[in-house]
Amino acid sequence: MLPRGRPRALGAAALLLLLLLIGFFLFGGDVECELGERGGERRGPGSFPCPLTPRVSADGRPRGAAAVDGDPSADRGGRNRSDCVPPRPPLPKCELLHVAIVCAGHNSSRDLVTLVKSVLFYRKNPLHFHLVTDAMARNILEMLFHTWMVPAVRPQVSWIPNKHYSGLYGLMKLVLPAALPPELARVIVLDTDVTFASDIAELWALFAHFSDEQVIGLVENQSDWYLGNLWRNHRPWPALGRGFNTGVILLRLDRLRQAGWGQMWTLTATRELLTLPATSLADQDIFNAVIKEHPGLVQPLPCVWNVQLSDHTLAERCYSEASDLKVIHWNSPKKLRVKNKHVEYFRNLYLTFLEYDGNLLRRELFGCPSPPSAGAEQVQRALAQLDEEDACFEFRQQWLTVHRVHVTFLPHEPPPPQPHDVTLVAQLSMDRLQMLEALCRHWPGPMSLALYLTDAEAQQFLRFVEASAVLSARQNVAYHVVYREGPLYPVNRLRNVALAQALTPYVFLSDIDFLPAYSLYNDLRASIEQLKLGSERRAALVVPAFETLHYRFSFPSSKAEVLALLDSGSLYTFRYHEWPRGHAPTDYARWREAQTPYRVQWAADYEPYVVVPRDCPRYDPRFVGFGWNKVAHIMELDAQEYELLVLPEAFTIHLPHRPSLDISRFRSSPTYRDCLQAVKDEFHQDLSRRYGAAALKYLTALQQPRHPA
């Protein structure tokens, strides 16, 4: 990896501590160093059949270059450098390929998704990803791969928790031989900022070019970093010639273990730190220092397998046509703004995978049958049993859809533990993004929001947040992307994703079109403490809901102002005109006078917005689109004997918006309403099985008039 401006160094003290920890935990003190030159030919970067440095003629021009443009990418006889590669060995048919990636943090997790998309797009082989992660990335990627369900990709990804390396993930590649499964002999190691433009099996096939002594395959570094003198007092670590870049690595793990690799690199690093204050490029510096001392270890790889788009890159000497390259490495802090004559081609390739629909990569491998995971097989069986002639086929298919989920899509700081803290939980789609800034102004506490987006919309959302001073300043809002699939809005599945990721003891189950009172966050925490909620008292705190029909609205700052707006006709109890049954049990007349919390009874179709413990029942995911999704959840809370307590000073207000597609379909389609009724019937049957006679009172809910159009 090349420097990003003035590189962030790993200090000598920190690195020495790291070396001691690794030596103790992984290698012990008795490992001998067996690898060396072993009498083999001393090889450097220039020995590769197609070196980066061009052959120069007496007049200073690259030999074989066309006189009209002096293109240094043309070799002797007019041959392109990217054509100067070893004969391709046969690609491994259906062989399981192993790929290791170090990934730490939120941004790195997003980069990894784009990398994996590019690999999956071209691949023809089964893959096993070994992901070295921190705790945050582990939570993100474990959920992502579990819900992606890509055929012929091992669902049991090999997670390697980092406990001993002081958080210095920049050096983790060095310990892969000890950290990866001992039976694993070969692995491709990738940085998260690379993009594939070819089948990864072609890269795997280059293991066949290794001699008996070679253990590491690398592409030559495509800058003058290791030659020194880039600026005053520039002191790079030792390297062979230009050195090698570690963005793409082939490792013979079996040989490295036999040779005592851990002892070798720790001794080299310790010795260099006696004269150098720090590493600048983390693991890359240490790899190069070892190779400088033992050049027989390295197999130089064709430069097209790591075309490095760094500042001052010499990558253009590697190829003549952009289509020749195999892997693009965005190892510059400028990323897509880096200067290169083919950068438009590179940028378009990257953006293609960035916004590519990951659902399309769930295709089976042709000619390489692989058994599906237990979860995927169960879903496939259930889908096969559906009757496409069933009027509710669309509903039932949506229930069985497994959506890809990318939790914590943006950087997020978990809230400090507080016994009465509350997270606002809600869900939204792209057409509700404009609500986020106002919501952040009204609710200063933690939020967990699930967004239903396509891959392309997820990138638009990212740019939307980065452009907003309000949103980018908030670190206690967790955004979770659920990728769009299917014709119906999976509202309760989205709620469950957001609810599962909440980290506080209590959650406020809201909707994105509501703005809470400015004081509600603090009031809720005080109420939870005063009411002594907890294991001994199970309660759902009801936040009375109101609505305005005005797009421009002066938000009330107190209950007194709410009452004044109600009396003037500027504010209404929620859905008063369309569906008063949904909130009538809140008893707004009593709320007007109440000064203390009061208990209300459950009634048919009641769907208030409530504050409950985080471990409350989950929403029933069978309710998709519009209708009864909250009603069913409140019914379940009542079945589990939650008290319904209305808070006397609390309020939340719904803002007007155009009707959603699902509401329009509900109002216009009798079939849609019939299918919703069928879901209600099934839900009630399940409720009766779980709660027995206690669920009989809910039968009346199905005998009432249907939800109005």
Side-chain angles (χ1 to χ4, degrees):
M1 192 174 217
L2 287 175
R4 301 186 173 187
R6 294 300 297 266
R8 189 177 80 171
L10 292 176
L15 186 54
L16 282 172
L17 175 61
L18 172 70
L19 300 180
L20 290 173
L21 288 169
I22 290 175
F24 178 78
F25 284 108
L26 291 179
F27 310 115
D30 302 323
V31 182
E32 296 182 359
C33 180
E34 300 176 5
L35 261 175
E37 292 185 40
R38 299 188 181 179
E41 178 184 358
R42 188 176 181 87
R43 301 187 64 184
S47 64
F48 179 63
C50 195
L52 175 65
T53 308
R55 300 180 180 92
V56 180
S57 61
D59 62 0
R61 291 183 304 171
R63 293 178 180 171
V68 293
D69 59 8
D71 186 356
S73 66
D75 204 346
R76 188 176 296 151
R79 180 178 56 180
N80 292 336
R81 294 202 166 276
S82 49
D83 294 334
C84 183
V85 297
R88 179 188 295 178
L91 297 183
K93 177 66 175 176
C94 295
E95 180 181 351
L96 179 64
L97 311 185
H98 292 267
V99 181
I101 306 171
V102 177
C103 180
H106 308 83
N107 296 339
S108 184
S109 301
R110 291 200 309 273
D111 292 340
L112 182 139
V113 173
T114 306
L115 161 61
V116 169
K117 284 183 185 178
S118 70
V119 171
L120 293 177
F121 183 84
Y122 294 104
R123 64 102 178 219
K124 299 182 180 66
N125 286 67
L127 299 173
H128 188 154
F129 288 103
H130 303 263
L131 305 179
V132 184
T133 72
D134 61 3
M136 177 56 69
R138 174 174 182 172
N139 181 48
I140 296 169
L141 297 175
E142 203 163 36
M143 173 70 78
L144 179 68
F145 276 83
H146 175 72
T147 55
W148 203 340
M149 302 180 79
V150 181
V153 170
R154 289 275 177 96
Q156 292 84 19
V157 181
S158 297
W159 299 101
I160 306 166
N162 182 299
K163 297 179 180 177
H164 311 307
Y165 314 131
S166 304
L168 300 177
Y169 280 83
L171 298 176
M172 281 300 298
K173 294 180 198 172
L174 294 162
V175 303
L176 289 179
L180 290 174
E183 66 275 10
L184 187 59
R186 295 177 292 173
V187 71
I188 296 172
V189 184
L190 302 173
D191 277 357
T192 58
D193 58 354
V194 303
T195 305
F196 269 72
S198 183
D199 186 355
I200 195 171
E202 296 179 32
L203 178 60
W204 184 270
L206 297 181
F207 275 116
H209 293 286
F210 280 43
S211 69
D212 292 341
E213 288 78 26
Q214 290 169 337
V215 296
I216 305 172
L218 293 165
V219 170
E220 187 180 23
N221 200 42
Q222 294 165 5
S223 81
D224 291 335
W225 172 265
Y226 286 108
L227 300 181
N229 301 319
L230 291 185
W231 60 74
R232 187 178 180 182
N233 299 324
H234 176 213
R235 294 182 60 199
W237 277 51
L240 199 61
R242 277 199 172 84
F244 294 90
N245 183 277
T246 57
V248 177
I249 314 175
L250 300 185
L251 290 182
R252 282 298 305 260
L253 298 170
D254 49 352
R255 296 177 183 176
L256 287 165
R257 295 184 189 108
Q258 294 169 6
W261 166 253
Q263 188 82 351
M264 179 185 297
W265 76 260
T266 52
L267 290 175
T268 298
T270 302
R271 184 175 61 251
E272 294 300 332
L273 285 170
L274 296 176
T275 57
L276 292 167
T279 64
S280 296
L281 305 183
D283 66 80
Q284 184 169 301
D285 283 340
I286 299 176
F287 271 111
N288 275 290
V290 174
I291 291 170
K292 172 77 171 179
E293 191 173 348
H294 307 283
L297 303 182
V298 68
Q299 164 63 47
L301 302 179
C303 60
V304 292
W305 284 105
N306 185 353
V307 177
Q308 301 148 39
L309 301 183
S310 60
D311 294 331
H312 312 296
T313 181
L314 304 175
E316 293 176 15
R317 300 182 182 181
C318 171
Y319 60 91
S320 60
E321 299 292 336
S323 58
D324 295 335
L325 57 86
K326 305 290 187 181
V327 175
I328 305 166
H329 189 182
W330 300 91
N331 60 329
S332 165
K334 297 177 181 177
K335 296 301 179 185
L336 301 186
R337 294 178 289 106
V338 71
K339 293 182 179 180
N340 181 283
K341 67 180 181 181
H342 292 118
V343 72
E344 195 65 28
Y345 174 87
F346 299 149
R347 186 185 295 117
N348 288 338
L349 181 69
Y350 173 81
L351 292 176
T352 295
F353 291 117
L354 182 71
E355 300 186 350
Y356 190 81
D357 184 352
N359 300 326
L360 301 178
L361 297 170
R362 287 169 163 168
R363 62 180 183 263
E364 295 285 346
L365 286 182
F366 180 76
C368 291
S370 60
S373 65
E377 186 175 17
Q378 184 178 3
V379 170
Q380 290 173 5
R381 277 201 309 268
L383 286 170
Q385 293 172 359
L386 295 182
D387 179 6
E388 294 188 18
E389 301 301 320
D390 182 357
C392 299
F393 172 79
E394 193 176 65
F395 278 76
R396 300 185 187 281
Q397 186 181 45
Q398 190 76 60
W399 304 342
L400 296 172
T401 299
V402 179
H403 295 272
R404 282 181 300 134
V405 179
H406 190 142
V407 299
T408 325
F409 190 73
L410 296 179
H412 170 247
E413 291 294 332
Q418 298 179 26
H420 309 113
D421 206 3
V422 184
T423 295
L424 186 149
V425 170
Q427 42 71 39
L428 66 152
S429 53
M430 195 69 181
D431 60 345
R432 296 291 194 270
L433 288 188
Q434 74 278 2
M435 289 295 300
L436 291 177
E437 287 192 353
L439 184 58
C440 282
R441 293 188 179 99
H442 278 251
W443 182 271
M447 287 190 273
S448 180
L449 305 177
L451 299 95
Y452 194 50
L453 306 172
T454 65
D455 292 74
E457 287 174 342
Q459 299 309 312
Q460 296 175 36
F461 163 69
L462 176 61
R463 294 190 291 271
F464 179 84
V465 173
E466 291 174 342
S468 168
V470 174
L471 300 182
S472 59
R474 288 289 295 270
Q475 295 298 306
N476 63 345
V477 180
Y479 300 101
H480 317 292
V481 174
V482 179
Y483 288 100
R484 183 183 296 273
E485 186 173 8
L488 296 170
Y489 188 73
V491 56
N492 277 358
R493 194 176 300 275
L494 295 172
R495 287 177 172 137
N496 285 340
V497 168
L499 180 54
Q501 297 302 315
L503 301 176
T504 56
Y506 296 89
V507 289
F508 173 33
L509 304 178
S510 185
D511 274 338
I512 197 63
D513 300 313
F514 281 84
L515 291 181
Y518 286 108
S519 62
L520 185 61
Y521 174 59
N522 290 329
D523 291 345
L524 290 179
R525 293 186 297 168
S527 296
I528 291 169
E529 183 176 11
Q530 291 168 4
L531 293 169
K532 298 181 179 180
L533 301 187
S535 58
E536 296 182 2
R537 187 178 188 185
R538 306 180 78 183
L541 306 183
V542 176
V543 177
F546 300 86
E547 68 176 342
T548 178
L549 304 181
H550 302 290
Y551 285 91
R552 293 189 176 183
F553 175 68
S554 179
F555 201 91
S557 60
S558 66
K559 178 178 179 177
E561 292 186 14
V562 170
L563 295 177
L565 291 171
L566 279 170
D567 293 338
S568 68
S570 298
L571 204 63
Y572 302 92
T573 57
F574 186 54
R575 290 292 182 257
Y576 172 78
H577 299 90
E578 297 175 319
W579 186 240
R581 296 168 55 86
H583 292 264
T586 298
D587 195 351
Y588 288 94
R590 184 176 178 184
W591 182 81
R592 295 179 70 102
E593 307 297 333
Q595 296 182 0
T596 59
Y598 59 92
R599 184 171 182 175
V600 296
Q601 298 299 314
W602 174 88
D605 297 313
Y606 193 30
E607 51 179 0
Y609 294 94
V610 296
V611 177
V612 289
R614 182 180 59 190
D615 61 355
C616 69
R618 292 324 190 230
Y619 290 87
D620 192 315
R622 290 175 294 185
F623 290 97
V624 295
F626 175 78
W628 239 63
N629 43 74
K630 293 193 302 295
V631 172
H633 188 246
I634 296 298
M635 190 180 293
E636 183 106 28
L637 292 177
D638 185 69
Q640 294 194 12
E641 299 181 343
Y642 277 73
E643 293 181 74
L644 295 171
L645 298 176
V646 180
L647 298 178
E649 299 293 329
F651 61 90
T652 185
I653 299 178
H654 180 268
L655 301 187
H657 58 82
R658 65 181 182 181
S660 68
L661 176 61
D662 287 302
I663 292 178
S664 300
R665 292 182 65 186
F666 173 87
R667 291 172 175 171
S668 63
S669 171
T671 300
Y672 191 106
R673 295 194 292 272
D674 289 341
C675 292
L676 175 59
Q677 184 63 41
V679 180
K680 291 162 65 174
D681 293 342
E682 292 180 16
F683 170 78
H684 189 268
Q685 292 169 9
D686 291 342
L687 208 64
S688 298
R689 280 192 290 268
R690 289 198 301 272
Y691 301 106
L696 291 177
K697 70 174 183 177
Y698 306 119
L699 184 59
T700 57
L702 298 181
Q703 298 172 346
Q704 299 294 333
R706 295 178 182 178
H707 208 295

